Amino acid sequence: MVRYWSNDLGSLDKRKCKCGRTHARSVGGILGRADDMVIYKGAKFYPVQVEKVVRSFCELSDEFCIELTTDPRLSIDICTVVVECKREEDIPRIRPSLKKGLKEECQVTPEIKFVPFNTLERTTFKAKRIFDRRERKRGSIGG
């Protein structure tokens, strides 16, 4: 079933498939939703990209969130990925790898905040992953 006006984002490939099929397809499936896109330091990324990296670490739970705030002194945006580590002693070992994975996948290096296991809300259906608390300048476009 094709859904129209859903704000789902994907890429359309009309080239002939290696298997011989000629119909258009969405390689990689749905990439994300337009309304879930994060713009940070000029880069655009989606929670599904962060999820891919977080879930690649067995030391972390599947739960995470993305917090967007503004540094009040410098007036710059800060992006923080909040994750749960199953064992606190694993944090120093996995922090560099997690940071590198997020940079490679999202093309930016967010801050990382570790919280105790079972701190983040568990989700049954669609999870709320983005918490945008940035200060908007008056008179700015989209603000």
Side-chain angles (χ1 to χ4, degrees):
M1 173 190 258
V2 178
R3 298 182 330 183
Y4 294 99
W5 302 105
S6 66
N7 273 342
D8 287 346
L9 299 174
S11 63
L12 187 64
D13 189 350
K14 295 182 179 182
R15 294 176 292 175
K16 185 176 179 179
C17 181
K18 293 176 187 174
C19 70
R21 292 184 179 160
T22 58
H23 66 280
R25 59 204 180 283
S26 178
V27 179
I30 301 300
L31 302 174
R33 293 185 52 86
D35 51 357
D36 284 345
M37 181 173 53
V38 176
I39 301 174
Y40 174 65
K41 291 189 175 180
K44 298 175 185 177
F45 66 92
Y46 299 91
V48 70
Q49 292 174 276
V50 174
E51 181 177 19
K52 176 182 170 184
V53 175
V54 168
R55 291 191 174 180
S56 72
F57 288 85
C58 63
E59 299 90 347
L60 302 176
S61 80
D62 289 343
E63 299 300 328
F64 70 94
C65 68
I66 301 166
E67 294 179 346
L68 300 163
T69 56
T70 303
D71 181 313
R73 292 176 295 123
L74 303 174
S75 294
I76 59 170
D77 289 343
I78 301 169
C79 178
T80 305
V81 174
V82 182
V83 295
E84 295 179 335
C85 196
K86 294 175 184 173
R87 297 177 343 147
E88 190 175 334
E89 57 268 20
D90 290 335
I91 294 172
R93 183 177 52 78
I94 66 170
R95 181 185 296 272
S97 300
L98 178 58
K99 195 168 208 165
K100 181 181 178 192
L102 290 168
K103 182 178 182 176
E104 288 173 358
E105 182 67 29
C106 302
Q107 305 304 307
V108 291
T109 308
E111 300 294 322
I112 300 171
K113 178 180 175 184
F114 290 91
V115 295
F117 187 68
N118 279 329
T119 299
L120 297 174
E121 181 181 344
R122 294 327 195 226
T123 54
T124 307
F125 299 105
K126 183 168 170 56
K128 177 156 176 57
R129 300 283 189 198
I130 302 171
F131 297 90
D132 193 344
R133 299 180 181 103
R134 292 179 283 190
E135 295 176 12
R136 300 286 180 218
K137 294 178 185 167
R138 292 187 194 275
S140 66
I141 297 173

